[in-house]
Amino acid sequence: MRSSKRVLLVDDDEMLRVSLADQISAGGLYETVEAKTYAEGLRRGQEGLYEFMVLDVGLPDGDGRELCRALREEGVTCPIIILTAPDSDADTIAGLKAGANDYITKPFRFAVLMARVDAHLRSH
């Protein structure tokens, strides 16, 4: 049965992306759509409505912050969370200025990620 609440996960780290997809969809509330490149993330992001998106910064063909900016310019309004390793204040500020609702650094705890998602969805 297809869920009406879709989530876009864009990360080139296949193990992390698959693990996140499995955990997010485990409760049956969300259906995950995966992308491993900037181009694929942009295409999938334009294809439909999503409950929220999780983007990595270091993609093989572009920067996840620029992907966030491009999606916002395309009219995407759902919460976008950048989940990435770069953790300087400058990185966080750049991600938030690009249109992200939150910036979470790796390593992270899945429960904390989902609590932040829930908080953004409450205010969205």
Side-chain angles (χ1 to χ4, degrees):
M1 181 168 105
R2 183 182 165 131
S3 170
S4 62
K5 296 181 179 181
R6 297 184 333 147
V7 176
L8 179 61
L9 303 175
V10 183
D11 198 312
D12 62 325
D13 181 336
E14 185 172 1
M15 285 181 55
L16 175 62
R17 191 181 65 250
V18 169
S19 175
L20 268 177
D22 288 347
Q23 291 177 69
I24 289 171
S25 61
L29 184 60
Y30 300 110
E31 171 192 352
T32 56
V33 176
E34 298 177 41
K36 59 186 174 188
T37 65
Y38 179 106
E40 187 180 9
L42 182 60
R43 181 176 52 79
R44 290 188 182 273
Q46 295 167 330
E47 287 177 349
L49 298 176
Y50 294 91
E51 194 76 6
F52 65 93
M53 298 179 179
V54 177
L55 311 178
D56 184 22
V57 169
L59 299 170
D61 59 343
D63 185 300
R65 291 171 294 227
E66 291 306 315
L67 174 57
C68 180
R69 187 181 323 280
L71 290 167
R72 292 296 191 213
E73 289 172 0
E74 290 286 326
V76 170
T77 61
C78 72
I80 296 176
I81 297 174
I82 293 181
L83 181 65
T84 192
D87 65 351
S88 73
D89 288 345
D91 291 315
T92 302
I93 291 166
L96 295 172
K97 284 189 173 188
N101 296 83
D102 209 341
Y103 191 98
I104 301 173
T105 57
K106 299 173 187 173
F108 66 98
R109 290 195 167 94
F110 180 74
V112 173
L113 169 65
M114 292 311 295
R116 287 181 156 185
V117 165
D118 290 343
H120 290 295
L121 291 175
R122 279 193 305 272
S123 64
H124 178 65

